[in-house]
Amino acid sequence: MTYRAMHTALKVLTALIVTVGVFHSCSKDDASGSLSFPSSTLYFDAEGQTQTIAFSADNIGSITVSSTPSGWTAEADLSTLRMKVTAPAADEPGAERQGTIKLVGYVNGGKSVSADLFVAIAGSRDLASEQSNCYILSRPDTYYTFNALVRGEGREPLATASVEVIWQTAKNLIRYLELDGQGRASFFVGSGDGGALTEGNALVGAYDADGRLIWSWHLWVTDYDPSTQSQTYANGLTFMTRNLGAGANDNATREQILASYGLYYQWGRREPFVGPYAYDCASGKDADMYNGNNSRTYLSYVESSAETGTEAYALANPMSFILGVEESGFDWLYAAHSDDLWGGTAKTAADPCPKGWRVPDGDAFAGLTIADDLAAGVEAYRQSYGWHLTDGVVTAFYLGAGRRSALLGGIQNINTNEVPKPWVGCYWTSGTGSAALTSSGMYFTLDTEDALRSEMRPRTDFQRANGLQILPIPAALVFGMTVAVARG
C-alpha cells in the first residue's frame, strides 16, 4: 500500500472513530433528565390535612420520595405527575411542623435528579389591604403575600417579573420568596426557639424582565403592634413606641439597647439602612446583612453626582448610601432638590412608614424637655443611652442612636466631649430647615463634662444626606382615641 493510500485510510478510520464517539455521547442511556415542582413551597392550614401537587418530569424512568420531615407522608405517581402529601396529626409525637420533602427521579441509564418541596403547617396573611412601602410582619410560622405589581400606597403599576431578597438582618428571616401567577409576592416567616418570632428587617425588591430593580419594600419582622402600643402626649399627638425598624425601646440590657436602634434614613428616601453591630457603636461596624442565599452582603458608599444623586439611582441602588458633597449642598440629591419628598402634613409616595403611619411633622417634638434629673450628674446617666423626654404630663424614653454621617456614611455617635458612646439622639421630621437644602430633626445630647449643660432641641437643621431615625406618627386617625402610656 502506497503512503498516499495509507494516509487516506487513516483519515477515514479517524473520522469513523470520531463519528462513533459523537453518537455515543448523545445516546439515550446517557441523556439528561429533569424534575421540578411549579412552586418550591406547599402550605397546610391544619394538622392532618392532605394536598396534591403536580410536578414535571422529563426523561425520567422512575421516581421515589427519598426523605420527608418527621410525621409527614408523601406518595408520588409518575404516570399522573402528581404527589400526595399529608401533614402529621395534631397528637403525633415528635412530628415536625415544617421541613423539606425530596423527590428523586432516575434517568434512563441510572443517573438521578431531584426536586425539593418545602412543606409547613402555617397560618396565612394577605397584606393587600395594607399596601405600603413598609409591612409589619408579626406572626411566626406564617405564609405572607402582598401585591408586587403596584408601588407603595399609590396604585402606579409595576412590570414585575421576579422578586428577590436584597438584604436581611438574619439568615432565613424571609424564606421561599416567590412571585406567583397573580403577581403576588409570597414568602414564609418562621419561628425560633419555642415558636417565638425571630425579629429583624429585610428589603425585598421587584425586578423587571431585564433583571433591573424597579421597586423595593421594607419588611419589618416584629412582635410590636403600633395599633395597641402607641404613645399620646397631652397635646393629642400620637407616636409609635419604637423607632421604625426597631425590635425594642429599652435600655435595660445591652441586647435591648442594640435592638432599640432601628433603621436609618436619608431625608426623602424610602430605602432604609441598618444600625450598628455593637450596642455601644464602639467598632463603627454595621450590623450583619445577608442576601436571599444567606451570604453576607454589605452597604456601599458613593458620593452624590449628576449620575448617582438622583431618585432613579437611589431606587435602583438601595444598598448605596449617597454621600453629600459641597456641590450638592450636602443633599444626597445632586441637583433636582425637593422639599416635597416627605414635606407637608400628608403622607407622600416616598414615605417609608407602614400603612397608616408617616414621618412626623416639623413641630412634632415641640414642647418636649428632658425629664431626668440633670443635677444628679453625668455618672447617673452615662450608661442610660438616652433621655426620658416629657411634655409635662407624659414621659417617654428616647434612645441616643446617633446618625449616619452625610460625609462618610458610617454611624457616628459622639457626645460633646467626642467620646464614641451613643449619647446623641437625631430624629427626622418632614419639615424643612431654616438653612437652604436642610431639613429639620429633633436633637438631644448628654454633656459628659457637665450634665446640666445637656440639651434637647425640638427642631435642628440637618443636611439631607445624613441618616437619622424615624419615630412615626399616624397618617390619619385610624385607631380613634389612643391611651397615653409611658415608655421606658
Side-chain angles (χ1 to χ4, degrees), residues 41-85:
T41 59
L42 185 62
Y43 298 103
F44 292 73
D45 296 326
E47 294 84 352
Q49 185 181 21
T50 296
Q51 294 192 60
T52 299
I53 184 171
F55 61 88
S56 299
D58 180 51
N59 195 33
I60 301 297
S62 62
I63 56 173
T64 184
V65 176
S66 68
S67 62
T68 60
S70 177
W72 295 73
T73 62
E75 301 174 0
D77 187 338
L78 186 59
S79 64
T80 61
L81 297 178
R82 297 288 188 275
M83 185 169 72
K84 184 171 70 173
V85 181

Side-chain angles (χ1 to χ4, degrees), residues 24-35 56-61 105-114:
H24 176 71
S25 67
C26 293
S27 67
K28 188 174 181 61
D29 287 342
D30 284 348
S32 62
S34 64
L35 192 65
S56 299
D58 180 51
N59 195 33
I60 301 297
Y106 297 93
V107 183
N108 296 324
K111 293 183 178 180
S112 64
V113 293
S114 64

